[in-house]
Amino acid sequence: MSEFFLHSFNTLSHLLMGYAIPFLFVLTIVVFFHELGHFLVARWAGVKVLTFSLGFGPELVGFNDRHGTRWKISAVPLGGYVKFFGDETEASTPSSVLLAGMTAEERAGSFHHKKVGPRAAIVAAGPIANFVLAILIFAGMFTFFGKPSTSARVDKIEVGSAAAAAGFQVGDVVTAINGETIESFSDMQRIVGINAGDPLAFTVKRGDSTVQLQGTPELKEVKDPFGNVHRMGVLGITRATSPGDVTTERVNPATAVWLGVKETWFVIERTLAYIGGVFTGREAADQVGGPLRIAQISGQVATIGLAALIQLAAMLSISIGLLNLFPVPLLDGGHLLFYAFEAVRGRPLSDRAQEMGFRIGLGLVLMLMVFATYNDILHLAAS
């Protein structure tokens, strides 16, 4: 019996240290900055903030600041919320009874009595904060660790591959794709990876001459170092790294911020391309993951080091910011959609229309969560 309890304790410890703690570390950073964006702009707009919560459900620990805001950590750590004066729920749905009985002074601090512009700015500030966080993390990485680079040289070509069909030769160096300058092998991999099935124009340095090649990446399943399977475009080119091939370029803070912006935009562009591919049938929806997948990846990345885990936080921050901008009621994008209608009509949508919208949004969000969790379970079972 003691061996059973010891085994159970060791298993639980492994799950906590290997998955739960890295997952909560990453998620807390992302959620905090998202809600902080809402909070700061609300304060700037003169809105009274009642609650700033990391997590949902019963409060575990908290305190009140001098403005009367309750800062707390709640029991269910899968998100967070900022509740404004006049809100009935954590999703910022208005309380018609409370709003109707407000005095003029109370209305001045009510979120729902502000004009459309300030309300839209408060709502948009959450996703924007996620993008800013990602940019700052990437910029910090480039500033303190530099920008690693390996020339896009062709050292090996797979027989029968897209690269062989395009006419690539060993020793070629790719300098541009579709007119976009290629500075490293990873730059080439990124562009090729998101363009499976699309013809690409390659500018290649071959000896002392420059040649133009046309190649179409093939969609293939590729395993990462942790055994996770990803579908992406592949040319069939291999780069053999020799001592001295990898260079690290030190960059100044301004350049690092610009590189952070480019990195963030690349992730946004790739995510939108994947989503578009799902709807058009070019991509499979089984890559959509939820909390279990994020926890697994967090645990895997944590084995590399803290810097890699923080970089994962940047990727997750972009994903959450982008997801929240989708025009689905209950999400920030849904609120912005309602405000757009209000700006055009000159008055808000009826309470009934908004209530129906939130119900539909809740149904869509729950369906997405169930689908993502289902994918997570299948992924974990197969791994």
Side-chain angles (χ1 to χ4, degrees):
M1 185 66 70
S2 60
E3 292 182 359
F4 170 77
F5 283 116
L6 181 61
H7 175 73
S8 299
F9 177 77
N10 289 336
T11 302
L12 180 61
S13 299
H14 172 72
L15 290 174
L16 285 174
M17 297 300 295
Y19 294 98
I21 291 177
F23 169 63
L24 292 177
F25 173 78
V26 169
L27 189 63
T28 299
I29 292 175
V30 173
V31 170
F32 176 78
F33 272 87
H34 179 94
E35 302 304 335
L36 186 65
H38 292 313
F39 173 83
L40 291 176
V41 177
R43 280 276 176 88
W44 169 79
V47 173
K48 183 178 180 181
V49 182
L50 300 178
T51 309
F52 187 113
S53 177
L54 290 176
F56 299 99
E59 177 181 324
L60 298 178
V61 63
F63 67 93
N64 291 334
D65 67 16
R66 61 188 179 90
H67 297 284
T69 301
R70 182 68 178 176
W71 295 73
K72 64 180 184 177
I73 298 175
S74 299
V76 183
L78 299 179
Y81 64 91
V82 171
K83 189 175 182 180
F84 304 117
F85 184 57
D87 287 348
E88 184 173 18
T89 67
E90 290 82 355
S92 201
T93 52
S95 171
S96 55
V97 175
L98 182 60
L99 295 180
M102 284 184 180
T103 64
E105 183 179 355
E106 289 174 331
R107 289 175 182 171
S110 166
F111 171 78
H112 300 282
H113 283 97
K114 295 296 180 182
K115 294 182 178 180
V116 174
R119 276 183 283 140
I122 292 168
V123 170
I128 291 173
N130 283 131
F131 299 139
V132 171
L133 172 63
I135 291 170
L136 292 177
I137 289 176
F138 288 137
M141 292 293 178
F142 288 125
T143 299
F144 294 108
F145 297 101
K147 181 186 177 185
S149 179
T150 307
S151 65
R153 188 180 69 223
V154 178
D155 290 329
K156 184 179 178 181
I157 301 171
E158 293 182 12
V159 178
S161 65
F168 279 94
Q169 296 180 10
V170 173
D172 286 349
V173 177
V174 178
T175 59
I177 301 177
N178 286 351
E180 182 177 344
T181 301
I182 299 300
E183 298 179 351
S184 66
F185 194 78
S186 62
D187 287 348
M188 181 180 69
Q189 285 179 310
R190 286 182 167 190
I191 294 177
V192 169
I194 61 175
N195 284 284
D198 298 328
L200 298 176
F202 295 86
T203 301
V204 175
K205 183 179 180 182
R206 182 174 293 168
D208 295 328
S209 60
T210 299
V211 297
Q212 302 294 327
L213 302 176
Q214 288 280 341
T216 303
E218 299 175 280
L219 184 63
K220 289 190 175 183
E221 291 188 345
V222 178
K223 284 189 176 183
D224 64 22
F226 300 109
N228 301 312
V229 177
H230 307 276
R231 278 187 291 273
M232 61 181 63
V234 173
L235 277 177
I237 289 174
T238 303
R239 172 71 157 89
T241 305
S242 304
D245 278 354
V246 180
T247 60
T248 302
E249 177 188 356
R250 304 292 295 181
V251 296
N252 60 58
T255 303
V257 170
W258 171 239
L259 291 174
V261 171
K262 290 177 65 177
E263 191 79 10
T264 300
W265 175 247
F266 171 79
V267 177
I268 292 173
E269 191 176 32
R270 181 171 181 174
T271 303
L272 292 176
Y274 170 73
I275 294 171
V278 170
F279 282 103
T280 59
R282 293 184 57 189
E283 298 280 0
D286 60 358
Q287 297 297 303
V288 176
L292 295 178
R293 183 85 63 89
I294 297 171
Q296 182 191 31
I297 294 173
S298 299
Q300 292 170 341
V301 171
T303 62
I304 301 175
L306 180 61
L309 195 60
I310 293 176
Q311 196 161 6
L312 175 64
M315 306 287 285
L316 182 61
S317 188
I318 296 169
S319 298
I320 287 180
L322 197 58
L323 175 65
N324 270 278
L325 285 177
F326 288 172
V328 176
L330 201 71
L331 301 178
D332 292 332
H335 288 287
L336 293 174
L337 181 63
F338 284 162
Y339 299 155
F341 282 124
E342 181 179 343
V344 172
R345 298 171 75 241
R347 64 183 188 278
L349 294 174
S350 67
D351 291 343
R352 178 172 175 78
Q354 292 190 50
E355 182 182 355
M356 288 299 297
F358 282 119
R359 288 183 179 180
I360 293 171
L362 177 60
L364 291 173
V365 171
L366 290 175
M367 288 171 59
L368 177 61
M369 289 178 62
V370 170
F371 179 71
T373 304
Y374 174 75
N375 278 346
D376 289 351
I377 293 171
L378 291 181
H379 178 78
L380 290 172
S383 61

